[in-house]
Amino acid sequence: MDTSVPAGSYLAAVRDLNGLQTNYQIIQQIKASGGRMNQHSIPEFCAFLEKIGHSVKDLDKLNVIHVAGTKGKGSTCAFTQSILTQLSEQRRAEGKQPLKIGLFTSPHLIQVRERIQINGQPISQLDFAKYFYETFDALRSPHPPLRKVSVDSPSMPMYFRFLTLMAYHTFLREQVDVAIMEVGVGGEYDSTNVVQQPVVCGIASLGIDHQNSLGSTIEEIAWHKAGIIKPKVPVVSVEQVPEALKVIEERARENDAELQVVKPVDDVELGIQGVHQRANAALATELCHVWAQRTHNVAASESYIARGLQLASWPGRSQSFPSPRVPSLIWHVDGAHTVESIRACAKWFSSTSSPCVLLFNAAHNRDARMLLETLHTHASCTFIGAVFCPNVSTQRADSNNFTVQKDDELVAQWESARVWQELTGNPVKVVPSINEAVEYVENTYEDVRVLATGSLHLVGGVLDVAKGSI
């Protein structure tokens, strides 16, 4: 144990949280064996919730807005948070009680506390450490004993499940008026899905992703995503491909849940850039409308919706900023990591013209060739060079990621570089860390636009190294 880290501090909490990550080798063993029985996931999470002193019924107090989807669910949550913030301000101006708004999302870009926010701000390092150790110590205590669902049920939740548990605990302790909960992976067996009576559920755009755990067809994936639908709880979806929508409709019907499909907003200024965000904005708008009606938190007018959409922000998605060290170099970062999101990213990035440089790393288990081919096909700009690096940053402990395979030889990066050179003829550079990638770009180029994409972990590292904040 690192004795230089004060006990009970934020750094100690990050260290102990990182110890809950499942390393790459174990993940591969789980996949090879077909994985643990998914149907145990929610019952096990209920047991963890009981162990730290909460019941599943307690979560109903949080007035949850639950959002699933393949792409756009994080942006939807950001729009939702912004709209509800403006609703809160309007209620305050009308002499009504303002709202305390919780948000749980993933992954983080720079600091893990970004995942748990209250009123638009990550909880403080002090509060993160406090709620972390309240959860961690309660789980490690022998009393009360943990209720085991099966003989091989874990005694401690892994990284994401722990953070979900901690988020629910934090929101209950903080007595938030609403908790916006973004699903991690899938929906049916995701730890956020422990809530049984959300106020409203939302489903963002669906596509092919996480095939190892969700299935290889859009119908199988839609079944998992629509698993957040609860009996008689309204559900709102963006427009989907017919095969996915059919599954959503079936699951809504099974739960006697009213389903509404919304069209993208038009003629509204959005704070998060990209044409694809218009569907997410429409979903968030209707989620907030349903939530306000069902919880009796309405305002005299709905002018707050347009303000919320305009003021929304979501770092790491369609985000641009000038380099503090090379002002003529403009960074463009987008955490796109699926074919559909890379296509949308390419369209966003192509909106202005000037020489371009690519900084790329494919999120683990992604088809780098397919992503690069998609980017090359849809980005109508002139690339003059490309840099490839693993998702390794030396900035801070929050960035440690043990769930991906260590690649000391940079095999994956060289393969991606070869593909890009084959597609474009660009000169390419491979470096062993995000820090060195940013340094190389800023020492080599000026008067260019740099696109960093392929992974949210890469984007977070670039924001940390190149900008120093989100």
Side-chain angles (χ1 to χ4, degrees), residues 36-54:
R36 292 180 59 253
M37 296 295 283
N38 274 330
Q39 57 263 40
H40 288 166
S41 298
I42 298 302
E44 286 172 353
F45 197 83
C46 292
F48 289 135
L49 198 62
E50 294 165 6
K51 183 82 168 71
I52 67 170
H54 304 300

Side-chain angles (χ1 to χ4, degrees), residues 236-240 260-266 277-286:
V236 185
S237 173
V238 301
E239 295 176 323
Q240 308 282 0
Q260 183 177 358
V261 179
V262 293
K263 296 182 181 297
V265 297
D266 196 15
Q277 296 293 353
R278 296 196 170 277
N280 302 327
L283 177 56
T285 297
E286 189 56 29

Side-chain angles (χ1 to χ4, degrees), residues 88-402:
S88 179
E89 290 303 309
Q90 188 162 320
R91 286 175 57 83
R92 188 195 305 274
E94 294 171 3
K96 299 174 183 175
Q97 185 69 25
L99 303 173
K100 193 170 190 179
I101 303 161
L103 170 66
F104 175 67
T105 187
S106 62
H108 61 278
L109 293 174
I110 296 179
Q111 295 194 46
V112 67
R113 62 193 181 92
E114 297 163 26
R115 296 184 184 222
I116 303 174
Q117 300 186 22
I118 293 179
N119 290 341
Q121 296 296 319
I123 60 175
S124 68
Q125 292 190 358
L126 196 64
D127 281 343
F128 186 94
K130 178 177 76 170
Y131 293 129
F132 175 89
Y133 282 112
E134 285 180 2
T135 306
F136 192 68
D137 292 344
L139 288 169
R140 291 198 302 176
S141 171
H143 305 292
L146 177 67
R147 177 173 57 83
K148 287 280 189 175
V149 174
S150 68
V151 292
D152 61 345
S153 289
S155 57
M156 181 72 79
M158 289 294 99
Y159 189 93
F160 177 80
R161 284 158 66 84
F162 181 94
L163 284 170
T164 307
L165 188 67
M166 177 183 161
Y168 276 130
H169 172 68
T170 301
F171 295 152
L172 285 168
R173 287 288 304 271
E174 290 285 334
Q175 297 182 316
V176 300
D177 296 299
V178 54
I180 306 162
M181 302 294 294
E182 180 192 357
V183 168
V185 174
E188 176 76 25
Y189 302 124
D190 188 77
S191 51
T192 61
N193 204 31
V194 67
V195 61
Q196 294 303 298
Q197 283 294 311
V199 174
V200 61
C201 299
I203 301 177
S205 182
L206 301 185
I208 304 295
D209 199 15
H210 296 291
Q211 294 97 311
N212 283 326
S213 52
L214 303 182
S216 57
T217 69
I218 193 67
E219 291 89 349
E220 290 174 306
I221 290 168
W223 183 88
H224 278 277
K225 305 290 186 181
I228 67 169
I229 298 174
K230 299 297 188 303
K232 298 187 183 302
V233 173
V235 56
V236 185
S237 173
V238 301
E239 295 176 323
Q240 308 282 0
V241 297
E243 298 87 348
L245 184 59
K246 182 180 178 182
V247 175
I248 295 170
E249 288 172 339
E250 288 173 354
R251 299 213 73 176
R253 194 159 47 247
E254 290 166 2
N255 284 279
D256 194 20
E258 181 183 351
L259 170 64
Q260 183 177 358
V261 179
V262 293
K263 296 182 181 297
V265 297
D266 196 15
D267 298 327
V268 178
E269 183 180 350
L270 302 182
I272 309 173
Q273 300 305 303
V275 174
H276 58 291
Q277 296 293 353
R278 296 196 170 277
N280 302 327
L283 177 56
T285 297
E286 189 56 29
L287 288 174
C288 291
H289 182 259
V290 173
W291 184 88
Q293 293 290 334
R294 296 197 78 206
T295 60
H296 309 292
N297 281 294
V298 295
S301 78
E302 293 192 349
S303 58
Y304 64 87
I305 291 175
R307 290 197 306 275
L309 294 175
Q310 180 182 352
L311 295 173
S313 66
W314 197 226
R317 289 80 170 174
S318 307
Q319 181 180 0
S320 305
F321 61 93
S323 164
R325 290 169 289 278
V326 187
S328 66
L329 186 152
I330 309 298
W331 285 99
H332 298 256
V333 297
D334 190 288
H337 54 272
T338 66
V339 168
E340 294 89 348
S341 56
I342 284 285
R343 191 179 298 126
C345 169
K347 189 170 184 179
W348 161 71
F349 184 64
S350 301
S351 59
T352 58
S353 62
S354 64
C356 304
V357 174
L358 174 66
L359 172 53
F360 182 85
N361 176 265
H364 64 288
N365 296 328
R366 296 306 196 283
D367 186 335
R369 171 177 281 277
M370 188 174 293
L371 297 181
L372 289 169
E373 288 176 347
T374 302
L375 179 63
H376 178 251
T377 300
H378 294 276
S380 55
C381 51
T382 305
F383 284 99
I384 61 172
V387 183
F388 299 85
C389 68
N391 288 334
V392 174
S393 171
T394 59
Q395 289 296 101
R396 61 185 80 234
D398 302 60
S399 303
N400 289 344
N401 186 357
F402 307 129

